[in-house]
């Protein structure tokens, strides 16, 4: 397997934990790993450009994430957020002090004219994630949610309103005119296998697939997906609310069918059954309880 | 004295402490106070627009300043700065976490198109300084220091290099084309007395005086200055290095002569002697040891 190249499409926390397993497998087997990460959740708040999914992956792989809370930095403090609230600046977003520094560096470099992919590479000089971390695109692609006929930013719907407002649909603003970031199509084209992390299919993987060129590149490779739904419920987060909003059942089978046009294989948990036309379905334990368990999932996917 | 109007030209910490006395005197005597504050120290670091003098005045009058350290916020923490250093972002500026929130609010409002005077008013809704706080100008005026024939920002010279590099001169970049902020000329024109706080004459009061129209407005009023030099040394800070750099002796007399064209009166400490042509010199204790002592200084100035 030495010299094998693996590309992974990933969102936030679920994607980050899956990538821990892919990295471990890659280290053990001499494989190069590239993660292509969702930017649809990115948002500008208090003038800071925040990239929650890139940061979740970067912090997790760099050993700086809070494993208990599940997002943001370990050993975090909240002074800046409290002070912003004292200025009547809404505090619904979890903006920790350590996190703020990341956003300050990113925001300044972006305003200096660097593309997000270059800024991400710069931030990774500190975090040393051990894989190549690419934003899906350098262009502005933002997931908006249509509620009562009006659009709101995904983060506002997801965090401020706890995904409780009825979503009519999701719009990936800017996606149609966006281009894959430098390195994305190269990584997909050179990949011996492409893995779809068990991330939210609607708002984590969906915005990546909406960028012209990516779906086609996946269809040309051996592409294996890992179901984010186990036993009829999302492994984490509120993916069920997103699936329901677009009229898709919360089942491993239904998610697999969303990807059917490009999947070679589809991993579902032993608790699930799935038939996806033209796709090899593998039943195997999908709980990422620890890195060993996750490596086993990666093994199964690569053996598909 | 009811209905009296007082305008004060001020820099940072010395100005802030003086303003505590002016505010107290004003409250006791029904006077309205407007502070016109230096912006020459303002700097953009890590993408944040920082206004050290406005913030010193706002925090001090709002009860939020660190009295022991002499600058910044009380009960401050330094997480953001430590994290920026971990990203190799130079940490020579004292950027506290509480302070960062102020700069975030200011930077965003400025980038939304608000002028600094409006942003300052917004920030003061939280701090309730009890006086009207105006930047000297809404235009970009920055004090640069010429060292070895090359310019560096005043903050870099002052804080990073501890004012130890030999300054050839000071340049107030942008001052010649700047206009007084809205309210400044009105406040000066309506003032029954204008006070010059015991701030650094070269880099705190100097940049205010460099804005066209202000020096002339002072000459038309009863204007009384308070010496920042006592017994041949600056009361605080490194004003002696600035005076020496422009070839002015570090004496109360020499500073008074810098202002001679517009002064009515000049307050020097009992330890000093001064003769300034055309200006009434008053000797009185000038140590602002507490608010009562400062109020006495204000009394002496207004009686001049």
């Amino acid at each position: 397997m030495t010299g094998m190249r693996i590309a992974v499409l990933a969102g936030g926390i679920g994607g980050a934990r899956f990538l821990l397993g892919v990295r471990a497998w890659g280290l053990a087997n001499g494989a190069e790993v590239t993660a292509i990460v969702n930017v649809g959740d990115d948002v500008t708040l208090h003038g800071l450009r925040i990239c929650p999914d890139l940061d979740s992956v970067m912090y997790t792989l760099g050993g700086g994430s809070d494993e208990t809370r599940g997002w943001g930095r370990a050993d975090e403090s909240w002074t800046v957020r409290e002070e912003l609230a004292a200025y009547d600046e809404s505090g619904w977003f979890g903006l920790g002090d350590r996190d703020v520094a990341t956003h300050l560096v990113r925001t300044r470099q972006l305003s200096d004219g660097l593309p997000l992919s270059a800024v991400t590479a710069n931030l990774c000089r500190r975090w040393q994630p051990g894989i190549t971390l690419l934003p899906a695109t350098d262009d502005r692609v933002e997931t908006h949610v249509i509620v009562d006929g009006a659009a709101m930013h995904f983060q506002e719907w997801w965090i401020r309103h706890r995904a409780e407002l009825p979503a009519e649909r999701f719009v990936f603003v800017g996606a149609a005119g966006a281009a894959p970031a430098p390195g994305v199509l190269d990584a997909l084209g050179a990949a011996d296998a492409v893995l779809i992390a068990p991330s939210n299919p609607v708002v984590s993987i969906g915005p990546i697939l909406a960028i012209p060129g990516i779906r086609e590149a996946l269809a040309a490779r051996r592409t294996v997906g890992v179901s984010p739904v186990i036993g009829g419920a999302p492994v984490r987060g509120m993916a069920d609310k997103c699936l329901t909003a677009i009229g898709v059942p919360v089942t491993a089978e239904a998610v697999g069918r969303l990807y059917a046009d490009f999947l070679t294989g589809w991993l579902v948990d032993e608790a699930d059954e799935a038939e996806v036309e033209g796709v090899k379905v593998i039943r195997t334990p999908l709980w990422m309880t620890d890195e060993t368990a996750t490596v086993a999932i990666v093994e199964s996917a690569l053996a598909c």
Side-chain angles (χ1 to χ4, degrees), chain A:
Chain A
M1 292 288 213
T2 302
M4 188 177 175
R5 292 176 181 177
I6 304 172
V8 184
L9 267 55
I13 314 298
R17 295 200 175 158
F18 183 69
L19 283 163
L20 284 173
V22 182
R23 179 179 65 179
W25 190 93
L27 278 171
N29 294 278
E32 273 181 47
V33 179
T34 299
I36 297 162
V37 179
N38 175 42
V39 298
D41 296 11
D42 295 4
V43 64
T44 300
L45 291 170
H46 313 290
L48 296 170
R49 188 65 184 163
I50 302 172
C51 302
D53 283 4
L54 281 166
D55 287 348
S56 284
V57 171
M58 184 173 77
Y59 293 158
T60 298
L61 294 183
S65 65
D66 186 300
E67 294 304 313
T68 310
R69 194 171 57 242
W71 55 268
R73 295 288 311 281
D75 194 24
E76 187 58 289
S77 57
W78 307 92
T79 304
V80 173
R81 184 167 72 166
E82 288 162 22
E83 287 289 324
L84 287 170
Y87 283 114
D88 286 330
E89 299 257 338
S90 157
W92 54 266
F93 192 86
L95 196 63
D97 298 335
R98 293 187 191 280
D99 213 17
V100 161
T102 301
H103 308 323
L104 280 171
V105 174
R106 175 190 293 121
T107 304
R108 187 186 55 72
Q109 293 193 5
L110 288 171
S111 80
D112 284 350
L114 289 187
L116 182 59
S117 52
V119 174
T120 302
N122 288 342
L123 294 171
C124 284
R125 290 215 311 269
R126 171 183 177 189
W127 291 103
Q128 298 291 322
I131 67 170
T132 301
L133 199 56
L134 299 177
T137 178
D138 279 337
D139 299 318
R140 185 76 69 101
V141 173
E142 281 187 352
T143 303
H144 287 206
V145 187
I146 309 299
V147 175
D148 274 343
M152 69 171 67
H153 192 287
F154 171 73
Q155 293 290 0
E156 194 172 356
W157 180 77
W158 186 252
I159 294 179
R160 187 176 200 174
H161 298 292
R162 313 292 308 159
E164 280 163 5
L165 302 177
E168 293 162 23
R169 60 198 171 92
F170 298 89
V171 180
F172 307 124
V173 179
V184 167
L185 292 183
D186 289 344
L188 292 175
D192 298 289
V194 180
L195 305 180
I196 312 296
S199 298
N200 187 315
V202 183
V203 295
S204 292
I205 304 300
I208 306 177
L209 299 176
I211 297 163
I214 291 188
R215 209 162 182 125
E216 296 74 3
L218 297 180
R221 315 310 306 173
R222 180 159 67 101
T223 299
V224 181
V226 179
S227 174
V229 171
I230 297 182
V235 172
R236 58 171 300 122
M238 302 172 281
D240 49 337
K241 301 201 177 183
C242 299
L243 286 166
T244 303
I246 62 167
V248 172
V250 185
T251 65
E253 180 173 86
V255 175
R257 288 180 179 180
L258 285 175
Y259 300 153
D261 56 303
F262 59 77
L263 280 186
T264 310
W266 182 234
L267 266 58
V268 304
D269 188 73
E270 294 173 312
D272 297 293
E273 304 276 356
E275 275 189 37
V276 185
E277 195 180 339
V279 178
K280 183 176 174 189
V281 174
I282 309 282
R283 292 174 68 207
T284 188
L286 289 191
W287 290 102
M288 299 188 286
T289 45
D290 57 23
E291 198 171 289
T292 306
T294 311
V295 169
I297 298 169
V298 174
E299 292 263 13
S300 299
L302 294 174
C304 187

